[in-house]
Amino acid sequence: MSYWLFRIRLYHQSLKQWLTSLRQMGIGLVALFPMALPALVMLPLLSLGVLADPQTQSSLYLNTLWGYLLLLYSWMNFQRDGIYAARYQLYLKALPTNPAFKSLCDWGLIIYAANVFILGPVLLLIIVLVQQSGTLTSANSPAFLAELIPLLALVILSAYYGFIAVNNTLPWISLLVFPFLAFTWPEELSKLQWLLLWVIAIVTERFMPAVSIPSGNWPHGLFRLFLRADISSPGGEKLRLIALLLLIALTRISASSLHPDVQPYLLNLVCFLSALILASSLFGIQALRERYHLYLRSLSGGEFAQLAWGVTYVFLKTLIGVILIALAGIFEVVQWGLWLLFYTGALAGILWRPKWFLFVPCLVAIVVFLAA
């Protein structure tokens, strides 16, 4: 029992350090949206009602399930070192504790760290089964079990993605490629058929390795330095990607329930937020240039040329986000024009006054609002 309490204490200590480092990443996301983190806590609870409702349409179910699992995976992946107490592994291995009990503590910490993401669907499933126990033995039991499959699938998928997240397995097909393919015809298949395809995507990615580029084929010069920095410390870029994907999922969920006259206002707000998320990558480049300024001075080319290379590298990374937004199909031509204005304004603000970089995109937003 003392070993279990010790592991919980290490987990809470690591969680506190991670939240502190999250605020100090310099990427602007947490500083920009201080109310976003508390709101994310409510999203799983709100999603459970949608996912458990048999009357939920396939498109809404798919988008909600994707956002739920994406948030679960990212939350667990960021806590991986804390769950396994990576900094104290040498000490933990030296303790005279039964290996089976150590493994049991790891599993317990995974469930403890996931809390509402895994326990919420399990508890809801138990409540439904207890309340509808009479239906299970009646003639309507086959229809009831069919309606229960989406909730049961949520329990299984939540447990699966929670465990692979702490094992650092990248679900690049089931959480990235497959949802965007499903966006093209969400109503063509039923929820049960989509869940079957989701399982096939999971099985496929288990046997298909992720695409990797050998380091020998990387570009040389500053691009290689920037790329190596992102690979060595992927926390910032990972958080941006997750924030963008969650924003896409929430937009698709919200837009489907809004009146057509109100949708443009939501999409304009999404333009503003997505542009800031992608442009904030320049913070990392500027911090890297400041950190290695002595080395960069020894290279050929002036400071302006190095800054141009940095901005170009940010543009190339932004193309990934632009492609994801385009595949999601949430923007019209007007929104793309606004997005470009907000993005260039955010970059200009970061280069001009990093501490007040929001001034430029906010000024652009005010001008656009008044002009409209």
Side-chain angles (χ1 to χ4, degrees), residues 12 20 69 81 88 101 106 138 154 226 250 293 304 319-320:
H12 283 288
T20 302
L69 297 177
D81 291 342
Y88 303 95
F101 183 70
D106 290 339
S138 65
L154 176 63
F226 297 149
L250 290 174
H293 69 280
F304 180 77
L319 286 178
I320 300 175

Side-chain angles (χ1 to χ4, degrees), residues 73-142:
Y73 178 84
S74 58
W75 172 247
M76 296 300 292
N77 187 257
F78 279 123
Q79 298 183 93
R80 179 176 182 272
D81 291 342
I83 292 172
Y84 285 136
R87 294 178 56 186
Y88 303 95
Q89 275 301 306
L90 293 177
Y91 173 72
L92 292 176
K93 290 179 180 179
L95 294 177
T97 307
N98 191 306
F101 183 70
K102 289 183 179 180
S103 178
L104 183 62
C105 287
D106 290 339
W107 284 62
L109 274 173
I110 291 174
I111 298 176
Y112 179 76
N115 49 72
V116 68
F117 287 102
I118 294 179
L119 296 179
V122 172
L123 181 61
L124 183 59
L125 179 62
I126 293 174
I127 293 175
V128 172
L129 289 176
V130 171
Q131 291 182 344
Q132 302 295 329
S133 57
T135 310
L136 294 174
T137 57
S138 65
N140 296 327
S141 59

